[in-house]
Amino acid sequence: MSTSNLSIAAAPITHDIEFRVRYAETDQMGVVYHTNYLVWCEMGRTDFIRARGMSYAEMERAGVGLAVSELSARFHAAARYDDMIRVRTTLVDLKSRSITFDYLITRAETGTRLVSARTALVSLDSSGRSIALPSSVRGLFKAG
Amino acid sequence: MSTSNLSIAAAPITHDIEFRVRYAETDQMGVVYHTNYLVWCEMGRTDFIRARGMSYAEMERAGVGLAVSELSARFHAAARYDDMIRVRTTLVDLKSRSITFDYLITRAETGTRLVSARTALVSLDSSGRSIALPSSVRGLFKAG
Amino acid sequence: MSTSNLSIAAAPITHDIEFRVRYAETDQMGVVYHTNYLVWCEMGRTDFIRARGMSYAEMERAGVGLAVSELSARFHAAARYDDMIRVRTTLVDLKSRSITFDYLITRAETGTRLVSARTALVSLDSSGRSIALPSSVRGLFKAG
Amino acid sequence: MSTSNLSIAAAPITHDIEFRVRYAETDQMGVVYHTNYLVWCEMGRTDFIRARGMSYAEMERAGVGLAVSELSARFHAAARYDDMIRVRTTLVDLKSRSITFDYLITRAETGTRLVSARTALVSLDSSGRSIALPSSVRGLFKAG
């Protein structure tokens, strides 16, 4: 996955979260059901945003939502119930109306790579119409 | 589970739905994850309401929501992936501000009893405040 | 909810966990979808078990599962996206083949009571047959 | 999304399913939570397989699982609670160890395009090791 239009920072901005796999997240194959990794990606990016100084809940109350417009993922190895998981979220692109994040999901204790993913998000107003990202939100993603 | 205040009909009003278990609904025990049966109960009651002449989506657009206030369930046997499931929903109580439904979840092909459950729901306005059920909604649940 | 057969301890054994509400856990009413509180109860009891010295994952590898046989819940107030949640799990009954836990789910910052619930669990072998709880597992739940 | 190695049929093999959006599938944005579209894709492909003459449940009992190895999706418009949804699944590639499906998710009544997606699946034995697709399974996907 190549990165384009990276006007935001020389050094990548990343953010890590860790948590345990819930029983509810497994399926009868004995591993995590595949769409749950994408829920974890969302947890990674919302915590990324909080760490930059604004919670996604505040963004929504201010009338700006972020909706996934594109998503891709590769599944390398399976997570299991009770594993400690690390999601590393990296901002890879910021445009006037969209933000792109990469995710690397690993088993925290061993570093085993489980899933790599990318999502593009577009900003919407409270009626679901595409809008430019407000400067207050864009400012969160500047380097430093 | 006993029934009180049943002022609505001599014969119980029931409604059946059938569907297949999704893979996503299983867990690593090889059976359906237990909270999914309660999602099925909700499918049963919203389809019950639709069959009476109004969709729950219309109710919400008219400013009336139904929120679960109490719930109980007994788990008799486990559903498995790809099973055909039947949910029988029965209206057991209707008050000015609440509705109570019973559910019997069975394996459709064998009739095996899987889960019996009951939920009480209260009516809320769009700000989440308790309100009396509008007569248009109450009318849906009269016998006949 | 009354407690019977409480042969385990004079002082109740409780365990707390805290976590944030995920976006995926909300529904279009703008609050947490009701069955997710029951997923949180499971997180509470598995972390309770881990805190007593054995993970539920280890129990399963040793051939013992716990399946919910009965469940009841009262919904007092709604949790919202990004709320910090506390689940207090209390062991209320221990029999040869079953364990009963109570749960009190609150908003961590304010202490607001959201949901109170109870589950009874039965012990199963790896083929899903009811078995007596092994003494190694029963020992986890003794007071002290 | 281009298709390679299409050795299976001149005319594409497709299969449609229809169902209603569940309340549990919405989030507080008032639309379907994005990962649920990918659960629907899985429903599409398992029903595709059933329509070809073998249920995925039978495949698993015969010791062959299919695990998602790659996934991509574009989100064009949002589904809402109670919408009738159509998922059209198309087999686009069949190799010795993998199968690729495309999905087009539309609102059934209007034909509005909601999501287009693709998944590659690899065949695994019951211990999770990659294996060649058995000929009995490959045979399901031949044209005609």
Side-chain angles (χ1 to χ4, degrees), chain D residues 85-139:
Chain D
I85 298 298
R86 180 179 298 134
V87 179
R88 173 156 295 177
T89 303
T90 305
L91 175 62
V92 293
D93 197 14
L94 179 62
K95 291 183 177 156
S96 63
R97 290 167 181 268
S98 71
I99 305 181
T100 302
F101 293 102
D102 273 4
Y103 312 89
L104 179 63
I105 303 179
T106 55
R107 196 173 290 124
E109 284 159 34
T110 59
T112 310
R113 190 177 62 148
L114 303 175
V115 175
S116 46
R118 169 169 291 191
T119 59
L121 298 106
V122 292
S123 49
L124 303 178
D125 66 17
S126 51
S127 343
R129 275 184 293 265
S130 170
I131 54 167
L133 275 168
S135 59
S136 60
V137 173
R138 288 179 60 84

Side-chain angles (χ1 to χ4, degrees), chain D residues 44-104:
Chain D
R45 69 177 169 264
T46 54
D47 211 65
F48 179 110
I49 294 171
R50 180 183 299 106
R52 302 298 294 179
M54 182 190 281
S55 76
Y56 182 68
E58 287 172 81
M59 278 182 59
E60 281 203 341
R61 282 191 292 269
V64 184
L66 293 175
V68 177
S69 60
E70 284 186 61
L71 175 162
S72 62
R74 283 171 181 263
F75 301 83
H76 310 292
R80 293 180 180 278
Y81 168 60
D82 216 40
D83 283 350
M84 275 297 295
I85 298 298
R86 180 179 298 134
V87 179
R88 173 156 295 177
T89 303
T90 305
L91 175 62
V92 293
D93 197 14
L94 179 62
K95 291 183 177 156
S96 63
R97 290 167 181 268
S98 71
I99 305 181
T100 302
F101 293 102
D102 273 4
Y103 312 89
L104 179 63

Side-chain angles (χ1 to χ4, degrees), chain A residues 19-20 22-25 39-40 42-43 46 50 55-57 60 81-82, chain C residues 19-20 22-25 39-40 42-43 46 50 55-57 60 81-82:
Chain A
F19 54 89
R20 272 191 199 281
R22 301 175 175 187
Y23 203 87
E25 293 171 331
V39 174
W40 299 349
E42 178 172 78
M43 292 165 57
T46 54
R50 179 183 298 108
S55 75
Y56 182 70
E60 281 203 339
Y81 168 60
D82 215 40
Chain C
F19 54 89
R20 273 190 198 281
R22 301 174 176 188
Y23 203 88
E25 291 171 332
V39 174
W40 299 349
E42 178 172 77
M43 292 164 58
T46 54
R50 180 183 300 108
S55 76
Y56 182 70
E60 280 203 340
Y81 168 61
D82 215 41

Side-chain angles (χ1 to χ4, degrees), chain C residues 3-11 13 91-96 98 138 141-143:
Chain C
T3 298
S4 65
N5 196 29
L6 184 56
S7 58
I8 41 173
I13 313 183
L91 176 63
V92 292
D93 197 14
L94 178 62
K95 291 181 177 158
S96 63
S98 72
R138 287 180 61 84
F141 300 112
K142 305 280 175 179

